[in-house]
Amino acid sequence: MGLQNRITSAHLDSEERRQHTHVFWLVYILDKDLSLRAQQPSIQLDDDIDLDLPHSLPADDEGDGDAPGVIATADGNARMNYFLARVQLANIEGGVYDCIFSTRAAKRSPEERLAAANSVLEALEKWQAEIPSEFGAAAVITSIANDSTSLGLYCVLHSISLRCMTLINRAHAWNDEWLPIGWAMLVHQARDFMILFERAWSAEIWFRW
């Protein structure tokens, strides 16, 4: 449909262009997530995308000036663009697939595989560092109070992040040289996620797939 290119929507009004962009990023998230789960190439090539990220999109007409997908803590003191975080994490999922499961990964030298794994790990750690502390896996339980829907969303977010971290630190990701430099962080994140998972499992059913 050409939704990945802004030229395709240039003749539409601003609201329709915004909707087209939202639809594309939602499909992008699903594409990269399914690709990593199935260990098969994604459909959308990142180099072909010519769109603004969600944080650059116009605000909802009925909103208060925030970008779409923004979630706030119960006290309103912290906010996070969940939509943007999911798009960025989907991009990292694509990097994990390319690093571990792609055909070209198998053709790389041990040095190239090591460099690729390090690059993806650095991107993942940078993404994790940009998540406000109030929305961390363990902290979000109290920061969003009784918002069970948001709790499920964050359970999905942190489970994907944890899966990426786990795959990057598995022995086969490094082949000849297994140097799991993110192992301590992985254990810490897994423990925090179990706290969130225990709460979300009893509150929500839709995210369990």
Side-chain angles (χ1 to χ4, degrees):
M1 296 175 63
L3 294 179
Q4 83 285 354
N5 194 325
R6 68 182 68 203
I7 295 177
T8 307
S9 304
H11 64 288
L12 303 175
D13 60 42
S14 59
E15 174 61 22
E16 290 178 318
R17 286 199 302 272
R18 186 169 69 95
Q19 292 179 10
H20 277 213
T21 303
H22 287 183
V23 169
F24 171 78
W25 286 123
L26 289 171
V27 173
Y28 178 87
I29 291 170
L30 291 172
D31 182 29
K32 298 299 183 182
D33 192 55
L34 292 172
S35 168
L36 188 58
R37 288 173 181 268
Q39 301 178 17
Q40 296 295 323
S42 61
I43 297 172
Q44 182 61 56
L45 298 178
D46 290 86
D47 289 342
D48 285 337
I49 300 173
D50 179 31
L51 293 176
D52 293 327
L53 289 169
H55 72 291
S56 302
L57 300 174
D60 289 320
D61 294 337
E62 64 277 13
D64 59 358
D66 289 323
V70 170
I71 298 178
T73 55
D75 58 14
N77 291 332
R79 311 180 78 81
M80 176 182 167
N81 192 326
Y82 182 91
F83 192 15
L84 173 61
R86 283 292 279 116
V87 171
Q88 293 172 327
L89 186 55
N91 180 262
I92 293 171
E93 286 185 275
V96 173
Y97 168 82
D98 181 69
C99 172
I100 300 175
F101 301 116
S102 68
T103 301
R104 68 180 149 188
K107 297 180 179 179
R108 290 170 176 156
S109 67
E111 294 77 17
E112 290 172 330
R113 287 194 292 269
L114 179 62
N118 270 319
S119 177
V120 178
L121 182 59
E122 288 175 4
L124 180 58
E125 290 177 340
K126 180 177 183 295
W127 178 88
Q128 292 172 342
E130 292 175 351
I131 300 295
S133 60
E134 294 85 352
F135 300 105
V140 74
I141 293 174
T142 56
S143 65
I144 62 175
N146 296 320
D147 187 350
S148 61
T149 298
S150 294
L151 196 65
L153 291 173
Y154 278 98
C155 197
V156 171
L157 184 76
H158 288 293
S159 69
I160 294 172
S161 172
L162 185 60
R163 181 169 77 242
C164 289
M165 180 66 79
T166 302
L167 288 171
I168 285 296
N169 283 283
R170 285 169 61 181
H172 74 274
W174 302 82
N175 293 304
D176 294 340
E177 294 186 43
W178 184 37
L179 302 173
I181 58 176
W183 192 258
M185 181 62 70
L186 172 61
V187 173
H188 174 73
Q189 291 176 9
R191 288 171 175 166
D192 280 353
F193 176 72
M194 288 306 298
I195 297 173
L196 171 60
F197 182 78
E198 182 181 13
R199 178 69 62 86
W201 181 265
S202 61
E204 291 291 325
I205 189 70
W206 57 267
F207 75 88
R208 296 184 189 180
W209 67 274

